Amino acid sequence: MQKLKYLVLSIAIISSSVFAQEQEKVKPQGHTDQNKFRQMKDLLATPNETRTASGAPGYAYTQQKVDYVMNIRLDENKNQIFGDEKITYHNNSKDHLEYLWVQLDQNMRAKDSKTPDINTENLESPFYGPQSFTNANLKDRFDGGFNIEYVKNEDGSSLSHIINQTMMRINLPKPLAPGEVFKFQIKWWYNINDINVDGGRSGLETFPDGNNNYTIAQFYPRLCVYDNVEGWQNMQFWGRSEFALEFGDFEVKITVPADHVLEATGDLQNPKDVLSKEQQKRYEAAKKSFKDPVFIVTQEEAELAEKGRSAKTKTWHFKADQVRDFAFASSRKYIWDAMAVDINGRSVMAISLYPKEGNPLWEEHSTRVVANTLEEYSKLTFDYPYSKAVSVHSERQGMEYPMICFNYGRPNPDGTYSERTKRGMIGVITHEVGHNFFPMIVNSDERQWTWMDEGLNSFVETLAELDYDPNFITGNLPKDIVPYMGGDQSHLSPIMSQGDYVFQFGPNAYTKPAAGLYMLRHTIMGPELFDYAFRTYSQRWMFKHPTPADFFRTMEDASAMDLDWFWRGWFYTTDYTDIGVKEVKQYYLTDKPTEEAKKLAERYNMNLKDYEGKLIYYAEAENGVVPADAKTPSDFSVLNNYIASLSNDEKAKLKEAPKHFYQVTFDKPGGLVMPIIVELTYEDGTKERITYPAQIWRYNEHEVTKVYKTTKAITSIVVDPDLETADVDTSNNSWPKQEKESQFDKFKSKIEG
């Protein structure tokens, strides 16, 4: 008996265990919070005394200051540039620094540069013409890169240093304490690259007449940023991700051939030494011309100058305070025009330099586009603080520096140009001048977060271009990013990726963030809330180093809008938008209980006969066809009697009773949550637009339902009619369903065709 007892007990235990295991199989598993609207505390850095939870700089925020005094000489005969610089480094941090890091960007073009080695290679073509074969196989690599002659202490003693590709570490004699200043000097030279032959962001452009157009930048050893977030920002420069730099004061003297016209960052200190009396007079006239540019050097004068070649030199002297970089342009071929721009009661000069090869396009548009850009960016951010903005024409460039930028957009040799060339030139000037605001003043880390520079700038550029020409094709609207968003996921990167390794750099760093901000302004937040928050961010971080978290937090802090769902989806993932109309059910009114009503009554032990004549029922129309004898609200005496019992004031508040009822299910095949923008078209042709906030998806991110009770029959329902949300598949956006290509398929067909 005892054995039998234990046997029964063992069987029971085993059975219980098996049952428990079976139960465990069917139990839903636990999970972490994956809701699209969860907060971003897992992604953003913890606020601290240097960067607050509001997105503003904290009371302990610090940044370094670096001042430069430089003497530069341009050798036109050898196409070389020589320089010596005295650098004053202010340690405003709370840290003791054992060494300084200096950027040597020109070393990317040195003969021993590792930059070409990081790119994969293949024989793309089975055959080559003699010129392309020669360029690919017989030419020596361009001998670029800095030749450092010395690195010395202020007293002339040598400083210990080591060069690691595009970075140079200067070993300090003793740690630099907080609040201390270190002064040192560097002497250097390098061969200037031909932009159209050797590539590059700066260099020279050669012309058949033997003249050159020098657009010179990244030309001097520059201090890296040392900040509260990264410490030293000393990531190597591989050619794509741009530059993190400290603010400082510059005094620069540039010696060039005497017949050159030169412009640079900063204010010219010696106009009487380098300009003729006539040029000075014309420039003074330009300061008073707010409508049209004034020529300081005409095309006729430039054409005359380019026929000669002076053996003498002139030295141009510039000073610039609180800038993060310095660049200049020099050539005897330049036409030079300028006009004044009123920035909130303060005059700023808009200036253009261009060879005759840029005309007539450049004299018609360049300086006017510069002026428009300064005006529009100032409205959206802060008043432009510098004295001028200069646009310089070079055939294949689009690059920005404080107060000066280099831009493409060249007409045909006979002076004709296409609308595309004109649009490209207006776009690149707007974009590069706009970079004065981002990142030349709102000084984000371009090496780390390209989108904070290019994306924010491309967004404001879009608004400035549309102000210049309301029909301008910007390429930065939500509809423009659809082909990218709907593309091969293996070749997409989140916006929040370091720029050197992202796929499809242009859409990722420029178009997608710009389109996202446009969407925030026009669809999600509205211009009033967005503009105030964006302006707050811009003004908080003028002449400082913001991070992505500072931008995200400020936009929410200044608008009272929870946007974590948007940042998380649009910036941290490669999800896409696809919202459609899944189903539309039509209903009509009846006084007879429906099957659904009977089931509900049964569940709650209701006897519907007790409520005969007292209830109004919704019945689903079979196949969407409402019976001819369907009742209207006025047919129900119980409703009429109730309304009659109301006071006149209460009756006055009632609206016209609906006669048509629709239950619409919206689904979301795409991963992104977005507002649902719905356009209803009624039987009389009138339309109604309704926007539901993205939070409509908070409980069910796959599908939601809305009910429309109308006095007029609905003939069509369209989701996102103006393509505001970058929906990659519009074939499911309509009811009745319309057979049409999605936006992505249209683009694909256009390319393949």
Side-chain angles (χ1 to χ4, degrees), residues 445-516:
D445 181 353
E446 301 174 72
R447 188 68 50 88
Q448 191 76 254
W449 305 116
T450 307
W451 70 267
M452 290 194 75
D453 155 32
E454 302 295 356
L456 267 65
N457 184 45
S458 295
F459 160 68
V460 187
E461 171 201 346
T462 298
L463 302 184
E465 287 166 347
L466 292 172
D467 180 81
Y468 191 78
D469 178 0
N471 298 313
F472 198 88
I473 301 172
T474 71
N476 289 323
L477 300 179
K479 65 180 180 180
D480 300 319
I481 200 64
V482 165
Y484 169 78
M485 299 284 285
D488 180 359
Q489 282 286 329
S490 68
H491 284 79
L492 300 181
S493 304
I495 293 173
M496 288 292 292
S497 301
Q498 197 273 328
D500 285 325
Y501 62 78
V502 302
F503 291 102
Q504 303 187 65
F505 185 68
N508 175 278
Y510 293 69
T511 314
K512 186 181 177 184

Side-chain angles (χ1 to χ4, degrees), residues 85 103-107 110 144-148 163 188-190 218-221:
E85 54 188 295
Q103 302 182 53
L104 302 177
D105 308 294
Q106 290 296 328
N107 282 2
F146 282 109
N147 296 276
I148 304 293
I163 295 174
W188 49 267
W189 68 273
Y190 68 84
Q218 290 88 244
F219 67 93
Y220 62 99

Side-chain angles (χ1 to χ4, degrees), residues 271-272 275-285 296:
K272 293 181 180 179
L275 302 181
S276 69
K277 290 183 178 180
E278 184 61 30
Q279 288 170 343
Q280 294 177 60
K281 180 180 176 182
R282 292 171 180 175
Y283 196 85
E284 289 302 315
I296 292 95

